[in-house]
Each structure stands twice: as C-alpha cells, then as structure tokens.
C-alpha cells in the first residue's frame, strides 16, 4: 500500500473521471458471437446508458482528465478485477483461452493499466487523487423499482471518501431538493470495481475513489426537468471542489 512516503500532506489534487461502461460497441472480430444478443446489447446489461454523456459534462466543467471505454461490458467488463468470475459475460466466458487472452490484451489491460498508471504516478508525486467513476442504473430491475435518483458509492471505513460524499450529497440536494440521493446504493461501494481495486493499492489520504450512479430515467429521456437534474449534479461537484480549495 502506498503512502505519502515522507509524511508530508499532499498539496495538490488530481481529478480523474472514468467511464468503464460507456458504450455497447462490439468489435467486428467478435460480432458473430452476438448475433442473437442485439436486444441485450441495448439494455442495461450491455452498457450504462447516458453515463458517457454525464462523464463528458463533468469534465467540461471541472479540471479533470477523462478515461472512457465504449466497448460493451458483455465482451469484457472493465469494472471487474483480473480473475473475477464476472470478468467475462455468459456470451464470452466459454470462448477459448487464446481468444479471451486477445480480448484482455486489446481492450481490458490497456484501459485498466492506463488508469492505474495515472493514479500511481500522481500518488508518487504526493498528489491527492480524486477518482470519480461514472455509471448509470436501470430504473427497474427484475420488476422492482429502484428508490433513488442518485447514488454515491464509497468505502465507509475511509473517512475522506465518507466526508466528501456527505458534502456532495448536501450540495446535490441544495441544487435539486426533490431528488433522492442515497449512499452506497444501488450497490455497495466496497464491492469489486475499479475504485475498490485501486483502494487496495493506495492510502486513503492520497486516493479517494467515488462511484457516481445516476438513475437512467434522468439521462436517456430528454426533458427540462431531467436536463436540470443533470446540470445540478454537475454543478454540485464543482461547488464541492471549489469549497475544498478554500
């Protein structure tokens, strides 16, 4: 686990925005495996609808670097750790080892290693990294309605992440008081993902990994209210970051 090294508190912050499930693209070489899965590719199982647009809006408003992928999670899930049983979907899990290795080398490792390298480089320079991984969730799953508009996922044992999300939640509600904002919903912030993987490598004072989960009903249906919601979430992060610099 990394640390500040010399005990000096970090004086600079680096912000990165990632979007692991930004699209449902299947490279030409593998499309024959998905001929019967067109509907599935267009569903929440194929990608996080609207997440990439939200990530780009965040980057347009704050000083941050964006790392994204438009390859479908049904080919390989970039938000799963190496060796995870959910790394490959039911469609690709049965492929031969040579094919799966090529998928990993062409799509998985370049993305994962790129993000990991940027974080490690910043931490080595004693910078504090704020990593916001942007996702969206389907409003209804298996017949049950999700009971939130926004979810902020973090590790409750990391005080920095917990406090940051508390401030972010308050700021979202000040911008959009009618929203329901929940902590560690619709998933726990400690389950396997890009942020939880990086937490194992870096000290909590230097790395803060937050997952932003937006209800897709606010991202895929254009309306004045939904546009205001998205704008409010983006502005809320700007406000929290500006407050942290004071």
């Amino acid at each position: 686990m990394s640390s500040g090294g010399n005990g000096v508190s970090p004086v600079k912050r680096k912000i990165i925005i990632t979007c692991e499930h930004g699209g449902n693209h299947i490279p030409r070489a593998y499309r024959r495996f998905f001929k019967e899965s067109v509907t599935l590719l267009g569903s929440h199982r194929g990608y996080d609808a609207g997440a990439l647009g939200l990530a780009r809006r965040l980057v347009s408003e704050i000083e941050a670097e964006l790392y994204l992928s438009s390859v479908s999670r049904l080919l390989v899930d970039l938000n799963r750790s190496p060796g995870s049983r959910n790394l490959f979907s039911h469609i690709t899990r049965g492929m031969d080892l040579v094919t799966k290795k090529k998928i990993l080398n062409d799509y998985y490792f370049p993305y994962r290693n790129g993000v990991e390298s940027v974080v490690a480089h910043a931490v080595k320079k004693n910078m504090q990294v704020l990593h916001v991984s942007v996702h969206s969730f389907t409003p209804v799953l298996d017949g049950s309605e999700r009971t939130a508009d926004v979810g902020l996922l973090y590790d409750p044992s990391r005080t920095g992440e917990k406090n940051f999300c508390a401030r972010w939640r308050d700021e979202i509600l000040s911008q959009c008081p009618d929203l329901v904002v929940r902590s560690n919903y619709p998933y726990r912030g400690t389950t396997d993902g890009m942020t939880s993987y990086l937490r194992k490598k870096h000290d909590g004072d230097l790395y803060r990994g937050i997952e932003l989960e937006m209800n897709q009903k606010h991202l895929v249906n254009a309306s004045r209210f939904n546009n205001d919601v998205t704008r409010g979430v983006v502005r809320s992060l700007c406000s929290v970051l500006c407050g942290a610099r004071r």
Side-chain angles (χ1 to χ4, degrees):
M1 178 176 289
S2 64
S3 65
N6 55 12
V8 178
S9 298
V11 294
K12 292 185 178 180
R13 168 182 282 164
K14 186 177 187 67
I15 304 171
I16 66 170
I17 306 294
T18 66
C19 188
E20 288 74 35
H21 300 149
N24 57 1
H25 173 68
I26 299 296
R28 185 180 300 275
Y30 307 104
R31 289 177 188 171
R32 67 184 185 277
F33 297 101
F34 292 85
K35 287 182 178 180
E36 307 300 323
S37 304
V38 175
T39 301
L40 194 64
L41 281 168
S43 73
H44 68 277
R45 294 180 63 187
Y47 75 121
D48 285 0
L52 182 54
L54 176 59
R56 284 178 167 149
R57 287 191 66 170
L58 287 170
V59 171
S60 71
E61 295 290 335
I62 62 177
E63 188 176 342
E65 296 178 9
L66 175 62
Y67 298 86
L68 63 91
S69 173
S70 60
V71 173
S72 175
R73 68 206 301 178
L74 291 175
L75 184 73
V76 61
D77 195 334
L78 304 185
N79 202 40
R80 293 293 173 261
S81 298
S84 168
R85 64 185 181 88
N86 295 317
L87 185 60
F88 290 99
S89 72
H90 69 284
I91 299 172
T92 55
R93 194 173 296 129
M95 290 178 173
D96 62 83
L97 293 178
V98 173
T99 301
K100 288 196 286 188
K101 184 176 181 180
K102 181 170 176 55
I103 291 173
L104 291 175
N105 288 337
D106 288 348
Y107 303 103
Y108 180 81
F109 286 120
Y111 180 87
R112 297 276 301 202
N113 292 346
V115 174
E116 188 172 344
S117 176
V118 168
V119 172
H121 182 70
V123 168
K124 187 176 181 180
K125 294 171 65 177
N126 209 46
M127 299 175 72
Q128 185 184 82
V129 177
L130 174 65
H131 173 196
V132 179
S133 178
V134 181
H135 298 268
S136 68
F137 60 92
T138 183
V140 179
L141 181 66
D142 298 330
S144 297
E145 185 175 0
R146 255 70 178 272
T147 58
D149 299 290
V150 181
L152 298 176
L153 282 56
Y154 58 91
D155 184 343
S157 71
R158 291 202 170 201
T159 303
E161 291 183 6
K162 183 178 180 179
N163 291 343
F164 184 89
C165 285
R167 294 195 301 272
W168 195 0
R169 176 184 180 276
D170 289 346
E171 192 59 41
I172 291 173
L173 292 175
S174 74
Q175 300 269 350
C176 305
D178 293 330
L179 295 187
V180 176
V181 183
R182 295 185 60 178
S183 299
N184 287 318
Y185 182 91
Y187 312 103
R188 294 192 305 274
T190 54
T191 55
D192 183 39
M194 192 73 175
T195 54
S196 58
Y197 174 81
L198 289 170
R199 286 189 200 112
K200 297 174 183 177
K201 294 180 171 290
H202 303 293
D203 186 87
D205 289 333
L206 291 174
Y207 174 79
R208 294 177 181 177
I210 312 297
E211 288 187 72
L212 169 62
E213 287 273 3
M214 278 281 290
N215 194 314
Q216 290 174 4
K217 68 182 181 182
H218 298 304
L219 297 174
V220 300
N221 299 317
S223 70
R224 182 173 181 178
F225 175 74
N226 287 340
N227 288 336
D228 288 344
V229 167
T230 303
R231 187 181 305 111
V233 171
V234 172
R235 288 179 176 175
S236 68
L237 180 57
C238 297
S239 297
V240 173
L241 292 173
C242 288
R245 293 192 185 103
R246 295 192 186 106

